[in-house]
Amino acid sequence: MIIEIKGVQFVNKGAELMLHAVLQQLEAYNKEVIFALAPNGNSSYKDRMKVGSYQKFSFRKKSYDLNGLTYFIPKAIRNWLKNTFGIVTEADIDVVLDASGFSYGDQWPLITIKNTSKEIVRLKQKNKKYIFLPQALGPFNKGIYSEVVLKGFSEASLICAREQASFENMINSVSANANVKLYPDFTNLVKGTIDDGYSDHSDKVLLIPNCNMISTRNSNSQWKDTYIEFLKNSALVVRELGYTPVLLNHEGDADGEICNQVANLLDGNIEIVKEADPLKVKGIISSSKAIICSRFHGCVSGLTQSVPCLGTSWSHKYEKLFEEYARAEYLLSPKIQKDEIKSKLLASIETIDDELYVKNIIKYKHESELMWQDVFSVLDEVNNG
């Protein structure tokens, strides 16, 4: 069986963490499974080879999608490409596991949804499977968006919405017989690793920025005026409380630029951490005193490991995440001042053993295990077919 893992990459540590979450589960399911990754600007050949991936060659450029032609390539030639160069095409793929995180909705280009819808339909016609792993989906309020989703996404073998809003977006957008389920973010089952160089973070509070907070994707425009100042004030508050602030770059250059801006406002007197290994990033988070975080999977890593977490939001997925873990009061507004940052941070530390919060951590990990059972049932259909 050849499985394409779609939507992951190696610059955004959350996306790479999702890749490792999938790989760990596939390893447990069947060590003989072959997986493939398609190249993109944030997924180099070197990175893909490092994790043992086959190379998915895509015949697609913007709106021009010729992947359907790969089914006319003689199987002997496809086998030669696979066995000699590790190259596979859509015709070789048995299952697509889509771990895009947040790529389908009115905030994103229509072409992405169109291409995915066409792919799902083609795969089903060839008795192949397309599975959306838990992710944020929708809304699909624009007329053409909803039409494309209804036609294509309805044909997926399994659609896993990551929170209630996404679940409702899909239920209202796909056909009545579509297989839509509600499951939490699945990186909660991944264990981080502690690097010796980062083993002593017990007095450190991580500040994890997100360039989307000040981009046009953020519908709350107030953050564009207050975000950098908020991060600076957060660092000052952390120091006032006797802890050490550390900037953690959870993605790439754009987040790195924010880290540099904040560091300059603090006269360079703050450590900036950029760790390439997402498992180590999760380990760094687990060993810290607390986090003040704008990256979704940074928040997930904190919330699921009982690390005090204050968050900011540029998408509904943050509100729903904090609600799920009964920590909604720790999602901050763009008008927040220093004194309130301090009180919120102290409260998040003092309530880290809250009974409902602890129960929800256990609950959502169990639900992720159930999600993988559903995925494996689909994979079994392929194996037994």
Side-chain angles (χ1 to χ4, degrees):
M1 182 192 304
I2 301 179
I3 297 176
E4 179 186 358
I5 307 172
K6 183 178 177 182
V8 296
Q9 48 140 301
F10 295 87
V11 175
N12 181 308
K13 294 302 111 179
E16 190 174 357
L17 191 63
M18 287 192 285
L19 170 61
H20 283 278
V22 174
L23 295 181
Q24 288 177 9
Q25 293 296 325
L26 291 182
E27 173 77 8
Y29 172 74
N30 186 341
K31 296 182 184 298
E32 302 304 316
V33 165
I34 294 172
F35 73 96
L37 298 172
N40 63 57
N42 293 324
S43 180
S44 69
Y45 176 77
K46 182 179 179 181
D47 286 326
R48 286 178 278 127
M49 287 297 296
K50 193 186 304 181
V51 295
S53 167
Y54 276 61
Q55 315 307 309
K56 162 74 181 305
F57 189 84
S58 180
F59 294 84
R60 178 189 294 155
K61 183 69 173 179
K62 295 184 178 179
S63 61
Y64 299 99
D65 189 348
L66 302 178
N67 282 295
L69 297 177
T70 63
Y71 296 95
F72 297 99
I73 301 174
K75 191 171 183 179
I77 294 178
R78 300 204 319 265
N79 284 339
W80 176 74
L81 287 171
K82 180 180 69 175
N83 296 328
T84 306
F85 301 105
I87 295 174
V88 297
T89 67
E90 182 181 301
D92 302 296
I93 301 295
D94 298 297
V95 180
V96 173
L97 296 180
D98 189 325
S100 293
F102 185 32
S103 293
Y104 307 111
D106 291 341
Q107 290 169 285
W108 304 99
L110 176 61
I111 188 62
T112 301
I113 297 174
K114 277 187 172 180
N115 285 336
T116 298
S117 293
K118 290 177 182 178
E119 183 180 0
I120 294 169
V121 171
R122 279 198 310 271
L123 291 173
K124 185 166 185 180
Q125 290 172 346
K126 299 294 183 179
N127 295 317
K128 299 169 185 281
K129 309 293 184 180
Y130 196 105
I131 298 172
F132 288 93
L133 294 177
Q135 56 190 277
L137 297 160
F140 306 103
N141 293 325
K142 299 177 183 177
I144 186 63
Y145 279 66
S146 58
E147 293 172 17
V148 172
V149 170
L150 175 62
K151 182 178 179 181
F153 285 39
S154 298
E155 303 301 318
S157 299
L158 175 62
I159 303 173
C160 298
R162 197 162 59 188
E163 21 67 23
Q164 186 66 34
S166 292
F167 179 76
E168 292 174 3
N169 288 338
M170 293 312 303
I171 289 295
N172 294 329
S173 301
V174 295
S175 62
N177 61 349
N179 189 15
V180 184
K181 296 193 176 183
L182 176 62
Y183 285 121
D185 181 86
F186 58 96
T187 61
N188 58 358
L189 298 179
V190 179
K191 292 184 178 181
T193 57
I194 304 295
D195 186 279
D196 289 342
Y198 301 119
S199 58
D200 186 15
H201 269 63
S202 59
D203 70 332
K204 296 179 179 177
V205 176
L206 306 178
L207 310 181
I208 306 176
N210 185 341
C211 60
N212 286 316
M213 290 296 300
I214 53 176
S215 79
T216 55
R217 289 175 180 161
N218 191 348
S219 59
N220 192 335
S221 59
Q222 289 181 316
W223 275 116
K224 296 171 187 175
D225 299 323
T226 63
Y227 187 59
I228 302 299
E229 186 74 9
F230 158 75
L231 291 172
K232 183 197 80 171
N233 285 338
S234 295
L236 295 176
V237 163
V238 170
R239 285 177 179 161
E240 289 174 9
L241 292 175
Y243 303 120
T244 302
V246 174
L247 286 160
L248 174 61
N249 185 345
H250 206 274
E251 184 157 336
D253 292 341
D255 284 8
E257 176 57 32
I258 292 178
C259 289
N260 291 334
Q261 288 183 51
V262 176
N264 289 336
L265 291 175
L266 298 167
D267 298 324
N269 186 26
I270 187 171
E271 179 185 6
I272 299 176
V273 172
K274 185 176 182 180
E275 171 56 59
D277 186 339
L279 299 179
K280 290 182 180 179
V281 171
K282 188 164 187 178
I284 293 170
I285 290 173
S286 72
S287 66
S288 66
K289 182 66 179 180
I291 63 173
I292 301 173
C293 184
S294 301
R295 277 286 166 192
F296 181 82
H297 280 101
C299 293
V300 172
S301 292
L303 291 169
T304 60
Q305 296 183 107
S306 296
V307 176
C309 175
L310 303 184
T312 67
S313 171
W314 66 276
S315 157
H316 73 272
K317 61 183 181 178
Y318 291 85
E319 278 78 9
K320 297 304 178 182
L321 176 68
F322 277 75
E323 287 172 10
E324 286 172 358
Y325 285 91
R327 306 293 278 181
E329 66 268 34
Y330 300 115
L331 196 62
L332 309 178
S333 77
K335 295 182 180 180
I336 192 166
Q337 300 298 311
K338 277 183 65 179
D339 287 347
E340 192 177 359
I341 296 173
K342 181 181 291 186
S343 64
K344 290 281 188 181
L345 183 57
L346 285 172
S348 69
I349 294 171
E350 292 168 358
T351 61
I352 200 62
D353 295 322
D354 177 78
E355 183 178 357
L356 179 58
Y357 171 48
V358 174
K359 284 183 177 178
N360 284 346
I361 292 175
I362 298 170
K363 170 189 173 183
Y364 289 120
K365 286 183 178 180
H366 177 63
E367 289 188 5
S368 287
E369 292 168 350
L370 295 177
M371 182 276 295
W372 280 112
Q373 290 179 23
D374 274 352
V375 171
F376 295 156
S377 293
V378 176
L379 301 188
D380 287 341
E381 292 176 16
V382 176
N383 278 329
N384 299 329

